[in-house]
């Protein structure tokens, strides 16, 4: 490492936090600590363990570029092996000893030119640079349904799943039909005695093909890394991703119409019963909500034990779920696949930047960060997968790796002594936010549906330009947009 020696704190030992720790160690920084609120690493893959959880990005693309994994068992990997992958990468790269488990950061304050992180266990950590890697989807949103607490069976949010609860042969209800609800219903359709899928707004489903890799294929992957690369960088997959991005940012494009048509045909051809087909037909455009990729939901939902309920929930009672038309669905287990509060990011941690400015104040109108990385007056604090990060059905690992290039350039400014404190300038932030919100309002995500993408003003909190524009912005940070201050500590 060249230049100033610095202390680094990562908040969160999920995919992004592990990445940051590896990259910092590779760059020669040796004062690196990862604070993790739980007793295991893995972030979203630790918290989510509901039946059927898989990643809808092909496994070889949902992999760090520097740690390919010839062992993936399937095209779309399941949660257990993804969790095991992150554990292995962290172990192989010597990151485990850097992680402080059971350290939830309660307060993070910029004081005297450094960050102080207070944890719930009474320990304070001090750092020159903080990487916020707490993820966008980690605060479960409980549904506001009358009587939920009165349910006599087991009711659980899917991100707080209790593996010990019996499901086979039980009467199970699943509320919510985002990616989570769809995966769970697909997995339980032939296990539950009766499975009720409660859908307030049905979702469009993009058909995909999933398959297992054979032992011979894995052996070939081990012996020839170019075979893994051929899947990871498959031009057809990358072309689809690019087209999907173009469709998102131009809802009237041919690309978006093609996606809509694929989803429509999937529904028409897969669901035989016309009544069920209409129940499952959304009344908004495909990809307005995050598009669901499923190889088998429509097939599974037509199994005899499954009931799709779109009638509207009146309340929850000890015996089950009462619908507005008076029907009672008696249940043993109720899965709440009701999503996440995606506006919080690192909050409820209190974060105080320069002059005591809190993140709540900075984000009073909506959460944002210049290029999704940095906020004015929160010097030396950088987000990975933070607000306005690219979304869509991309590999968030690829996103985080590209964001790291940007963060590394800012860290290099600190290391060289060019700045002691660096964050986006207020002018650059305002210009970015104005440009971004205007563009986001024209994307498919704003075409008339509710979703976790939307901020409280109804504007998608997303990267509204092409994936190539994102890749270019991350590779070429505009340092003139930074508020770079020198020697604040030396002068004090
Ligand atoms: P979500 O997409 O936000 O879906 C929440 C569902 O719960 C919606 O169907 C919503 O209905 C319903 N809901 C919420 N409150 C309700 C209420 N009070 N009464 C009735 N229904 C209610 O959440 P998610 O499915 O957990 O997915 C969130 C994100 O996690 C995904 O978009 C994706 O980014 C990520 N994820 C990824 C994967 C993967 O394979 N990579 C898997 C799972 C999740 P409305 O639509 O009517 O609001």
């Amino acid at each position: 490492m060249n230049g100033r020696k610095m202390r680094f704190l990562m908040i969160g030992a999920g995919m992004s936090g592990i990445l940051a720790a590896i990259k910092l160690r590779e760059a020669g920084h040796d004062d690196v600590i990862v604070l993790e609120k739980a007793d295991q690493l893995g972030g979203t893959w630790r918290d989510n363990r509901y039946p059927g959880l898989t990643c809808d990005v092909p496994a070889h693309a949902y992999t760090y570029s520097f740690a390919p994994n010839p062992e993936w068992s399937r095209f779309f990997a399941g949660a257990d092996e993804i969790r095991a992958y992150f554990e292995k990468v962290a172990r192989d790269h010597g990151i485990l000893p850097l992680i402080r488990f059971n350290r939830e950061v309660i307060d993070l304050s910029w004081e005297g030119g450094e960050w102080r992180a207070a944890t719930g266990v009474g320990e304070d950590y001090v750092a020159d640079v903080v990487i916020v890697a707490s993820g966008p989807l980690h605060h479960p949103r409980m549904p506001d349904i009358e009587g939920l607490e009165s349910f006599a069976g087991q009711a659980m949010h899917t991100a707080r799943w209790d593996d010990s609860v019996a499901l086979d042969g039980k009467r199970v209800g699943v509320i919510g039909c985002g990616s989570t609800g769809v995966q769970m219903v697909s997995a339980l359709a032939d296990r539950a005695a009766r499975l009720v899928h409660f859908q307030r707004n049905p979702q469009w489903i993009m058909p995909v093909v999933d398959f297992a890799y054979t032992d011979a294929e894995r052996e070939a992957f081990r012996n020839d890394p170019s075979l893994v690369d051929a899947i990871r960088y498959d031009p057809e997959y990358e072309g689809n991703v690019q087209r999907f991005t173009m469709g998102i940012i131009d809802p009237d494009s041919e690309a978006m119409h093609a996606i809509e048509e694929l989803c429509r045909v999937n529904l028409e051809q897969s669901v035989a019963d016309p009544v069920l087909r209409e129940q499952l037909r959304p009344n908004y455009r495909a990809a307005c909500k995050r598009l669901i990729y499923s190889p088998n939901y429509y097939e599974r939902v037509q199994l005899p034990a499954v009931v799709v309920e779109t009638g509207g929930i009146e309340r929850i009672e000890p015996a089950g779920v009462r619908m507005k038309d008076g029907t009672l669905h008696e249940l043993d287990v109720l899965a709440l696949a009701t999503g996440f509060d995606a506006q919080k990011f690192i909050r409820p941690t209190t974060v105080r930047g320069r002059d005591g400015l809190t993140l709540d104040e900075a984000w009073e109108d909506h959460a944002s960060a210049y290029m999704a990385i940095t906020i004015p007056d929160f010097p030396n604090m950088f987000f990975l997968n933070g607000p306005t990060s690219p979304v869509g059905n991309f590999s968030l690992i690829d996103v985080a790796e590209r964001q790291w290039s940007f963060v590394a350039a800012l860290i290099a400014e600190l290391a060289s002594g060019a700045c002691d404190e660096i964050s986006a300038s207020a002018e650059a932030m305002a210009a970015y936010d104005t440009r971004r919100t205007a563009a986001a309002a024209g994307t498919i995500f704003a075409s008339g549906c509710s979703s976790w993408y939307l901020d409280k003003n109804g504007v998608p909190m997303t990267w509204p330009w092409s994936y190539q524009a994102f890749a270019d912005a991350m590779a070429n940070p505009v340092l003139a947009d930074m508020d770079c201050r020198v020697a604040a500590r030396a002068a004090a």
Side-chain angles (χ1 to χ4, degrees):
M1 186 209 67
N2 295 321
R4 175 182 161 200
K5 184 168 163 53
M6 287 180 285
R7 301 157 294 174
F8 292 88
L9 268 188
M10 259 97 290
I11 301 187
M15 176 274 285
S16 301
I18 294 168
L19 168 73
I22 291 172
K23 293 288 180 186
L24 286 168
R25 292 298 293 269
E26 275 174 10
H29 299 286
D30 56 13
D31 196 337
V32 177
I33 289 180
V34 184
L35 297 179
E36 169 52 57
K37 69 178 178 187
D39 59 1
Q40 286 173 47
L41 57 74
T44 199
W45 301 104
R46 174 204 59 227
D47 287 348
N48 287 278
R49 29 198 344 132
Y50 58 84
L53 174 57
T54 58
C55 182
D56 62 7
V57 172
H60 285 292
Y62 193 79
T63 307
Y64 296 117
S65 60
F66 53 84
N69 177 22
E71 310 304 329
W72 290 123
S73 68
R74 308 188 65 79
F75 188 69
F76 293 113
D80 288 348
E81 61 177 321
I82 295 174
R83 208 160 35 235
Y85 169 76
F86 287 121
E87 278 163 11
K88 179 173 187 313
V89 172
R91 198 168 46 247
D92 291 352
H93 287 77
I95 301 306
L96 292 182
L98 312 181
I99 306 178
R100 306 288 177 270
F101 290 104
N102 301 307
R103 301 290 185 283
E104 178 163 13
V105 179
I106 305 299
D107 185 278
L108 185 63
S109 296
W110 177 255
E111 289 168 16
E114 59 191 14
W115 283 104
R116 286 188 172 272
T119 61
V121 293
E123 278 174 16
D124 280 8
Y125 292 81
V126 182
D128 301 294
V129 177
V130 166
I131 308 295
V132 180
S134 49
L137 296 173
H138 73 282
H139 298 292
R141 195 179 52 196
M142 298 299 278
D144 184 15
I145 303 175
E146 186 195 325
L148 176 56
E149 63 299 330
S150 73
F151 182 58
Q154 303 266 0
M156 287 168 284
H157 191 279
T158 46
R160 297 288 179 270
W161 199 252
D162 177 351
D163 299 327
S164 68
V165 171
L167 298 165
D168 293 296
K170 301 290 180 190
R171 300 165 303 173
V172 181
V174 177
I175 299 181
C177 56
S179 305
T180 302
V182 162
Q183 288 184 348
M184 191 164 186
V185 166
S186 305
L188 294 182
D190 59 0
R191 290 178 54 189
R194 181 178 158 82
L195 179 61
V196 186
H197 196 185
F198 299 93
Q199 309 202 359
R200 190 165 60 181
N201 287 291
Q203 300 242 42
W204 289 107
I205 310 276
M206 173 67 92
V208 287
V209 177
D210 186 23
F211 54 87
Y213 291 116
T214 62
D215 288 343
E217 282 172 312
R218 275 191 294 277
E219 178 68 17
F221 293 153
R222 271 176 228 128
N223 295 331
D224 183 356
S226 75
L227 296 175
V228 170
D229 282 352
I231 300 172
R232 181 186 176 94
Y233 303 109
D234 175 12
E236 192 182 329
Y237 172 71
E238 293 204 331
N240 286 339
V241 167
Q242 299 294 349
R243 270 191 295 283
F244 186 45
T245 322
M246 297 319 289
I248 286 170
I249 63 181
D250 180 1
D252 291 326
S253 61
E254 226 175 87
M256 186 43 70
H257 289 306
I259 289 167
E260 289 181 294
E261 187 58 8
L262 268 172
C263 294
R264 193 189 64 75
V265 169
N266 190 26
L267 175 64
E268 306 295 350
Q269 294 188 346
S270 309
V271 182
D273 173 5
V275 175
L276 179 62
R277 199 186 309 137
E278 292 319 304
Q279 274 187 299
L280 291 170
R281 190 186 302 277
N283 62 1
Y284 53 86
R285 296 183 63 180
C288 183
K289 293 172 185 277
R290 184 184 187 272
L291 196 52
I292 296 177
Y293 285 35
S294 172
N296 59 358
Y297 175 71
Y298 287 146
E299 175 200 323
R300 306 288 284 175
V301 86
Q302 293 175 85
L303 291 181
V306 185
V307 174
V308 171
E309 178 55 272
T310 51
I313 296 172
E314 177 67 22
R315 63 177 175 272
I316 295 173
E317 300 179 358
V321 176
R322 177 79 64 184
M323 307 308 294
K324 286 190 192 308
D325 69 1
T327 308
L328 175 68
H329 292 285
E330 294 189 57
L331 300 169
D332 304 306
V333 178
L334 185 56
L336 307 170
T338 45
F340 299 87
D341 183 343
Q343 319 284 324
K344 280 190 168 167
F345 294 95
I346 186 178
R347 296 174 291 178
T349 301
T350 312
V351 185
R352 291 188 183 83
R354 219 174 251 140
D355 303 324
L357 176 74
T358 66
L359 205 48
D360 280 343
E361 289 163 346
W363 285 351
E364 193 181 358
D365 189 64
H366 60 278
S368 191
Y370 168 87
M371 296 288 168
I373 303 281
T374 157
I375 315 174
D377 290 322
F378 291 81
N380 306 359
M381 182 180 97
F382 310 124
F383 287 87
L384 292 177
N385 279 307
T388 80
S389 261
V391 283
N393 298 55
F394 306 122
S395 168
L396 291 189
I397 298 188
D398 180 58
V399 168
E401 287 195 30
R402 291 181 190 279
Q403 289 176 328
W404 185 259
S405 311
F406 193 116
V407 171
L410 303 188
I411 291 172
E413 292 298 292
L414 296 170
S416 72
C419 323
D420 282 336
E421 304 178 6
I422 193 166
S423 56
S425 70
E427 299 72 31
M429 178 75 235
Y432 169 79
D433 211 45
T434 303
R435 215 161 57 84
R436 193 201 66 76
T437 49
T443 61
I444 191 77
F445 302 141
S447 65
C449 64
S450 60
S451 82
W452 64 265
Y453 286 161
L454 303 180
D455 68 20
K456 68 177 186 212
N457 307 312
V459 178
M461 290 191 310
T462 53
W463 180 269
W465 304 293
S466 70
Y467 202 76
Q468 192 55 49
F470 167 71
D472 292 345
M474 294 302 104
N476 306 293
V478 179
L479 294 175
D481 280 353
M482 295 299 130
D483 173 2
C484 160
R485 301 192 188 182
V486 181
R489 271 180 306 147

